[in-house]
């Protein structure tokens, strides 16, 4: 009976690994969610050896409270806060998402730590991106987090392609949290395999900002989106055509349907 059980279990485990893949089977970062009106009293964040009461909102105000005292209030016109508390090996980080209730869109997304009676902003994920793109239904979420590294998953509806998802890595170095690089891997597009069918001619350039044309995509050509380059209010998208040729095109800061699969492009 034991031999039969082992024979059944081993193929099942291999089957699960094959379907998920090692990366997709990684555990998501653990956090405690504090929605509007929720509270938590599991942790000592003030450093006095006692567990503190952390509460999101008091029924009237859009604010975060520690032991009944207001410790954080958004500077903008956010209607409500969505708070995630990440207890890590050395630190407790708070990811605070500021949101508009009417549209359910975010207007702030930053990482904080409670120090000396107040929340200190460690990293502003939202404005780092927003200042350089045409914001159309931009969204962001934590994908991986540790004491000195944070990977966020972003999405936005860009001109030309419509929605794209991409990862950005932030790392703590020399006393500050810093964004690593200007080029980011696209993880998903309007289609999960990131393939798009061209509706128009698109000139493909050697690199972002370059004037050197490598080739031209024609209507009906199928390309695969690969990377994003975001800098100085310009967005470039790297593609690969059916011949394996790569190159970049600039995403227009307006509505433009370059591809058949693009939904609300820009």
């Amino acid at each position: 009976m034991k031999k039969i059980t082992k024979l059944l279990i081993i193929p099942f485990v291999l089957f699960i690994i094959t379907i998920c893949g090692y990366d997709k089977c990684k555990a998501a970062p653990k956090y405690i969610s504090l929605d509007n009106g929720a509270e938590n009293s599991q942790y000592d964040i003030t450093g006095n050896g006692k567990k503190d009461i952390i509460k999101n909102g008091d029924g009237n105000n859009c604010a975060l409270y520690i032991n009944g005292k207001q410790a954080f209030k958004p500077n903008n016109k956010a209607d409500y806060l969505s708070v995630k508390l990440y207890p890590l090996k050395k630190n407790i980080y708070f990811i605070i998402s500021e949101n508009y209730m009417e549209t359910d869109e975010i207007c702030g997304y930053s990482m904080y730590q409670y120090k000396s009676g107040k929340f200190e902003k460690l990293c502003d994920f939202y404005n780092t991106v927003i200042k350089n793109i045409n914001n159309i239904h931009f969204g962001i979420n934590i994908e991986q987090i540790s004491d000195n590294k944070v990977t966020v998953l972003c999405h936005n509806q860009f001109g030309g392609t419509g929605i794209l998802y991409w990862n950005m890595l932030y790392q703590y170095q020399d006393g500050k949290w810093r964004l690593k690089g200007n080029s980011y891997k696209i993880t998903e597009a309007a289609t999960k395999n990131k393939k798009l069918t061209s509706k128009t001619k698109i000139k493909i350039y050697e690199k972002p900002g370059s004037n050197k044309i490598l080739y031209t995509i024609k209507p009906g050509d199928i390309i695969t989106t690969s990377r994003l380059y975001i800098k100085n209010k310009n967005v470039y998208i790297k593609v690969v055509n059916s011949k394996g040729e790569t190159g970049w095109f600039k995403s227009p800061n307006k509505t433009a349907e370059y591809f058949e699969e693009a939904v609300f492009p820009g």
Side-chain angles (χ1 to χ4, degrees):
M1 185 66 180
K2 290 182 179 179
K3 288 184 178 180
I4 294 173
T5 303
K6 287 181 180 179
L7 288 172
L8 289 172
I9 290 175
I10 292 172
F12 176 74
V13 171
L14 292 174
F15 174 71
I16 292 297
I17 292 174
T18 302
I19 288 180
C20 296
Y22 288 101
D23 290 336
K24 292 184 180 179
C25 283
K26 287 180 181 178
K30 294 181 180 179
Y31 63 87
I32 294 170
S33 180
L34 291 174
D35 293 324
N36 190 30
E39 66 176 54
N40 181 275
S41 57
Q42 292 178 249
Y43 300 96
D44 170 24
I45 66 167
T46 57
N48 63 359
K50 299 178 181 179
K51 292 180 180 180
D52 300 296
I53 299 173
I54 308 161
K55 187 173 182 180
N56 181 7
D58 63 356
N60 297 311
N61 295 316
C62 177
L64 199 58
Y65 296 84
I66 305 298
N67 300 323
K69 295 182 179 181
Q70 183 176 296
F72 174 85
K73 187 174 179 65
N75 294 322
N76 52 38
K77 296 180 180 179
D79 299 307
Y80 71 97
L81 303 176
S82 178
V83 181
K84 290 181 179 178
L85 187 156
Y86 287 87
L88 305 173
K89 290 182 179 179
K90 297 180 181 179
N91 301 285
I92 295 177
Y93 292 149
F94 290 78
I95 302 297
I96 302 179
S97 177
E98 303 169 40
N99 309 275
Y100 294 125
M101 189 172 292
E102 185 176 346
T103 60
D104 199 31
E105 293 194 10
I106 66 170
C107 52
Y109 195 90
S110 300
M111 181 168 68
Y112 294 83
Q113 191 169 31
Y114 190 80
K115 291 182 178 180
S116 304
K118 63 180 181 180
F119 280 96
E120 177 184 328
K121 184 184 286 188
L122 304 179
C123 190
D124 189 335
F125 303 119
Y126 179 81
N127 284 303
T128 301
V129 183
I130 288 300
K131 66 182 181 181
N132 283 312
I133 67 172
N134 185 25
N135 173 13
I136 305 293
H137 301 305
F138 173 76
I140 185 170
N141 201 10
I142 298 294
E143 188 159 86
Q144 294 293 330
I145 185 169
S146 67
D147 288 295
N148 56 11
K149 286 183 181 181
V150 177
T151 301
V152 295
L153 177 64
C154 305
H155 67 264
N156 190 65
Q157 291 176 189
F158 291 104
T161 61
I163 194 164
L164 293 177
Y165 292 79
W166 72 99
N167 288 128
M168 301 177 81
L169 172 64
Y170 293 81
Q171 192 165 357
Y172 186 74
Q173 289 181 323
D174 302 323
K176 290 184 179 181
W177 284 89
R178 304 175 189 275
L179 175 62
K180 302 294 288 184
N182 302 111
S183 178
Y184 316 107
K185 181 182 178 181
I186 295 173
T187 61
E188 192 174 327
T191 60
K192 287 190 176 181
N193 60 11
K194 301 184 290 184
K195 293 184 182 296
L196 299 172
T197 308
S198 179
K199 294 176 65 175
T200 185
K201 290 183 178 181
I202 308 170
K203 293 179 180 178
I204 304 300
Y205 295 87
E206 182 180 31
K207 58 184 180 180
S210 171
N211 292 320
K212 184 179 179 180
I213 300 172
L214 297 181
Y215 59 94
T216 300
I217 295 173
K218 298 176 182 179
D221 286 353
I222 296 175
I223 57 90
T224 302
T225 53
S226 173
R227 299 189 70 84
L228 277 176
Y229 180 89
I230 302 173
K231 188 177 181 181
N232 298 331
K233 297 183 179 180
N234 291 309
V235 175
Y236 294 87
I237 299 168
K238 187 177 184 180
V239 299
V240 183
N241 66 10
S242 58
K243 298 178 182 178
E245 299 170 322
T246 63
W248 300 78
F249 72 88
K250 186 177 181 180
S251 171
N253 288 325
K254 61 181 181 180
T255 300
E257 294 188 15
Y258 285 3
F259 302 95
E260 292 179 6
E261 297 85 355
V263 179
F264 303 118

